[in-house]
Amino acid sequence: MKVAAIMDNPVAGAEEMEEKLIKVLLVESDRRFTRYLQESLSGLTSSRVDLFSSENLEEAISCLRENTLDAALLDLDLSDSEGISTFARFHEAAPGLPTVILTGSDHQAVALEAVRQGAQDYLVNSKVDGKILSRVIRYAIEGKQNEMKLVAANRDLLKTNHDLARSEETLRRALEELRASHEQLKAAQLQLIQAEKLECVGTLAAGVAHEVKNPLQTILMGLAFLSRNAPAEDKDFFMVLGDMRDAVKRADAIVRDLLYLSAAKQMEMKEDDINAVIAHSLCFVNYDLTRSRVRVVCDLAKNLPTVRLDRPKMDQVFINLFMNAIHAMPTGGELHLRTRLARWPEGNPGDATATKRFEAGDPIVLIEIEDTGTGIPAEKLSRIFEPFFTTKPSGVGTGLGLPVSKQIVDLHGGTIQIGPGSRRGARVTLTLKVEQE
Amino acid sequence: MKKKRILLVDDEVGFTRLLKLNLEQAANYEVRVENWAERALNAAREFRPDLVLLDVIMPCMVGTDVAARFKADANLKSTPILYLSAVGARRSPEGHNGMVDDFSCIAKPASFEDLIDGIERNLPAERHTSFGGNSISHPAPDSATSLRG
């Protein structure tokens, strides 16, 4: 049913709507009330309205499908639907259509619920006339338009938010990658500096060694002469000679370690049994072990695969590490030596270069050297591979033992790490690659 | 008892003077010093040493070149040489085969006892004699050292 009516325009400023023909669907089961509304609307002169009328919900929904409408007036009590479900079904069919509820005064609570669910407004039947109806319809249209704009803006906002979150995530990942590569760069730079330092020291050492060792030799010969010709009763004389001899030994030790640095790069690799290398190296420190009352506790795995190594240089590494352990236990203790076959673990243990050498699952021979000595203070752990850095008292260490050891292990493609022992003391962990067949 | 003759060829004047003094005072050696490598051959021809203590790094001529001249000389080719090297690493793990060419090498700085030990080990067997006076302790076999670098 279609009725043409003219609607008054009570909305100030809604100029574009004055000229526009407004298409309104009235869903009302009471024909008399429908007629009353038609008449009320036709009594107005300022605006035109196309009024479509339906008596039940089914008819109304088919009308929605056939026409493009601007608003709807919906009675909730129809022949085929009652109460709030009428609005729910109608709204489902036309969610974007501004809908005003028409209700009897005793249904106000239901009408309010409909407004909560999306209706623009509600009118109490008894108080409706053309002017009110016209105004409410216009408000409803305006309101719905604003609501739709709001929904669209909200949708845009949500999308922007989503995009922002994604950008943030991308940014966070980029930052993480940046941080990681910065760390890697720092580590690489540190290693480069370390390597350069060693290179410099090595080059210098080769040149200086000859010039230092010759005078030391002359001093030793002088000491031999003086010892023989010393007055037998003068104890101070012999003490002085002893101190001088010790000083020569120290100077010689430093030059010797410096020379190792310069010579470490020439490697002669052969397949060898790491347990045999350890046993061989132990022979060199036997005297020092006994003198310092250090007990050696071995837990060496049997049937370990061979590893490619330069025997004299690995001997040197082990002697350095054993001597460090002995120096850390001046009043005696235990030196634990363990070997076993293992696999390079997941994640990133060890220094940055270790990850380049090993992949997770690579077979490795793991060597642990643990003492029960004084240990290394945590703040010094990061510096122990620096040339000339020593935790030992003056005259005991040259500060080159660990840099030399690390250089040798690096040249073997292995890793060396030092940390606290299981109870006290320090633990050195060496890993060497097992060649896979 | 005939003294063993040692020709000491080394450019370090202080060292050669002191070693000569020690060897002659403390042990039964007769020592001739030559500080110029290129004069070593002539000195040896005159002196007829039982052993040559020969520095490796010397100006003008290195020890191994001096040794080559000795080997080429009919009268000196069987004279044992004990090298002294200031570029060696003493008591290194590699120390068991401290050889330069076919001769043993002692790394500087070496104690007087180590030098005596080296000399005694390298003298021809029939010339071995014990010497009285000072007792010389023989250090562990690993005191023989290698030439490195």
Side-chain angles (χ1 to χ4, degrees):
Chain A
M1 191 180 183
K2 192 180 167 187
V3 186
I6 302 298
M7 228 166 68
D8 188 14
N9 176 22
V11 182
E15 284 168 15
E16 80 265 21
M17 292 188 79
E18 277 178 24
E19 300 304 320
K20 198 185 163 195
L21 182 69
I22 299 172
K23 294 178 180 176
V24 178
L25 171 62
L26 172 65
V27 190
E28 175 59 62
S29 56
D30 184 345
R31 287 183 185 172
R32 279 185 302 165
F33 189 59
T34 301
R35 226 171 6 258
Y36 163 71
L37 290 179
Q38 283 167 354
E39 283 165 8
S40 299
L41 286 170
S42 63
L44 304 169
T45 52
S46 58
S47 186
R48 287 192 302 142
V49 68
D50 238 357
L51 195 65
F52 298 76
S53 152
S54 304
E55 285 185 13
N56 57 47
L57 193 61
E58 196 183 335
E59 204 182 305
I61 289 169
S62 64
C63 179
L64 286 172
R65 287 196 197 107
E66 288 157 17
N67 301 284
T68 308
L69 297 158
D70 295 309
L73 299 164
L74 178 67
D75 184 10
L76 294 177
D77 293 325
L78 304 172
S79 57
D80 56 353
S81 181
E82 275 193 4
I84 190 68
S85 72
T86 307
F87 174 74
R89 287 164 66 189
F90 185 80
H91 189 59
E92 194 186 347
L97 188 67
T99 304
V100 175
I101 305 299
L102 289 171
T103 178
S105 57
D106 51 342
H107 288 119
Q108 278 197 45
V110 180
L112 269 171
E113 175 58 27
V115 169
R116 269 195 284 275
Q117 289 185 17
Q120 293 314 120
D121 204 347
Y122 73 92
L123 292 171
V124 179
N125 289 357
S126 56
K127 293 179 180 172
V128 170
D129 63 18
K131 278 190 176 178
I132 292 172
L133 196 63
S134 164
R135 193 178 69 225
V136 166
I137 288 170
R138 288 183 173 279
Y139 277 150
I141 292 169
E142 284 275 314
K144 190 70 185 178
Q145 276 172 358
N146 287 338
E147 187 190 305
M148 294 310 275
K149 276 183 198 163
L150 212 63
V151 167
N154 201 27
R155 200 170 46 232
D156 286 351
L157 207 65
L158 278 175
K159 190 178 174 301
T160 310
N161 245 349
H162 181 69
D163 288 351
L164 212 64
R166 272 175 51 185
S167 307
E168 204 180 292
E169 174 63 20
T170 314
L171 214 64
R172 198 182 57 75
R173 260 192 240 130
L175 194 71
E176 247 170 44
E177 279 168 25
L178 208 66
R179 270 205 195 114
S181 60
H182 179 65
E183 285 303 315
Q184 276 177 354
L185 210 66
K186 248 168 61 181
Q189 198 183 27
L190 204 71
Q191 274 169 1
L192 214 64
I193 291 170
Q194 210 88 294
E196 249 171 46
K197 246 187 194 171
L198 287 176
E199 188 83 39
C200 276
V201 167
T203 314
L204 193 71
V208 164
H210 181 257
E211 298 313 312
V212 175
K213 280 172 174 279
N214 271 320
L216 290 179
Q217 179 68 79
T218 305
I219 295 170
L220 275 187
M221 291 306 99
L223 288 169
F225 176 81
L226 291 174
S227 311
R228 217 172 37 253
N229 294 288
E233 69 283 1
D234 192 342
K235 283 182 184 165
D236 284 349
F237 201 94
F238 286 99
M239 188 190 70
V240 169
L241 293 182
D243 287 347
M244 289 170 75
R245 203 172 277 120
D246 285 348
V248 170
K249 275 185 193 161
R250 271 169 55 190
D252 181 36
I254 290 193
V255 175
R256 178 199 58 205
D257 283 353
L258 286 170
L259 272 174
Y260 280 141
L261 276 182
S262 59
K265 284 184 179 163
Q266 300 131 30
M267 306 277 284
E268 280 179 46
M269 306 287 267
K270 280 181 193 148
E271 291 288 331
D272 214 329
D273 171 16
I274 199 73
N275 290 344
V277 180
I278 289 173
H280 185 245
S281 305
L282 270 175
C283 297
F284 288 98
V285 296
N286 238 333
Y287 171 73
D288 301 272
L289 286 167
T290 314
R291 191 181 53 180
S292 301
R293 284 178 288 132
V294 172
R295 197 168 74 90
V296 178
V297 184
C298 284
D299 177 15
L300 308 179
K302 284 176 186 162
N303 305 321
L304 278 179
T306 56
V307 282
R308 279 184 70 74
L309 55 84
D310 180 316
R311 166 70 80 101
K313 292 206 166 61
M314 279 315 288
D315 271 336
Q316 196 185 328
V317 170
F318 285 122
I319 292 167
N320 277 343
L321 298 175
F322 296 161
M323 286 309 294
N324 282 350
I326 293 167
H327 285 147
M329 298 182 282
T331 55
E334 285 180 358
L335 176 63
H336 291 261
L337 306 176
R338 292 181 282 265
T339 58
R340 65 189 158 90
L341 183 64
R343 291 201 176 271
W344 189 254
E346 292 278 352
N348 181 17
D351 57 25
T353 51
T355 48
K356 287 182 205 149
R357 293 181 195 144
F358 294 107
E359 282 176 18
D362 277 355
I364 50 170
V365 166
L366 199 95
I367 307 129
E368 284 180 346
I369 299 157
E370 190 172 333
D371 63 57
T372 55
T374 46
I376 303 163
E379 70 273 12
K380 289 184 176 166
L381 272 176
S382 62
R383 298 192 58 198
I384 48 175
F385 291 115
E386 284 179 25
F388 302 113
F389 181 83
T390 180
T391 60
K392 296 177 188 175
S394 173
V396 178
T398 61
L400 286 170
L402 285 177
V404 170
S405 300
K406 184 168 186 337
Q407 193 184 41
I408 292 172
V409 174
D410 281 348
L411 286 165
H412 279 80
T415 66
I416 178 167
Q417 286 169 276
I418 302 189
S422 51
R423 282 170 295 163
R424 60 203 167 100
R427 182 198 288 166
V428 184
T429 308
L430 284 167
T431 54
L432 292 172
K433 204 167 202 164
V434 174
E435 297 294 329
Q436 294 188 71
E437 283 168 19
Chain B
M1 188 191 301
K2 194 180 178 229
K3 287 183 178 177
K4 289 165 277 183
R5 289 162 172 260
I6 309 289
L7 174 62
L8 173 56
V9 185
D10 194 308
D11 60 308
E12 285 282 324
V13 178
F15 166 62
T16 53
R17 188 163 51 220
L18 280 165
L19 181 56
K20 176 180 161 68
L21 201 60
N22 283 328
L23 286 173
E24 291 185 340
Q25 267 193 9
N28 197 23
Y29 299 115
E30 183 185 344
V31 180
R32 173 161 174 172
V33 169
E34 182 49 69
N35 294 120
W36 295 95
E38 58 271 43
R39 293 185 196 158
L41 190 68
N42 280 340
R45 281 173 181 159
E46 280 174 31
F47 186 57
R48 297 293 173 132
D50 296 304
L51 179 137
V52 182
L53 269 175
L54 182 57
D55 189 21
V56 177
I57 310 288
M58 289 179 286
C60 302
M61 188 185 270
V62 291
T64 46
D65 288 346
V66 176
R69 289 190 179 189
F70 276 54
K71 271 191 176 175
D73 187 293
N75 294 321
L76 295 170
K77 63 182 176 190
S78 55
T79 307
I81 290 173
L82 176 58
Y83 280 113
L84 296 168
S85 168
V87 289
R90 193 163 174 265
R91 285 185 192 275
S92 68
E94 304 101 296
H96 297 291
N97 52 359
M99 304 289 283
V100 175
D101 297 339
D102 294 330
F103 301 114
S104 298
C105 178
I106 287 183
K108 289 179 180 177
S111 70
F112 182 55
E113 291 77 11
D114 284 353
L115 287 170
I116 296 274
D117 183 66
I119 290 168
E120 286 298 308
R121 281 169 190 275
N122 288 280
L123 279 170
E126 68 277 10
R127 305 289 296 270
H128 270 212
T129 46
S130 62
F131 45 90
N134 297 289
S135 74
I136 306 296
S137 64
H138 285 238
D142 69 13
S143 61
T145 50
S146 69
L147 182 73
R148 298 162 51 105

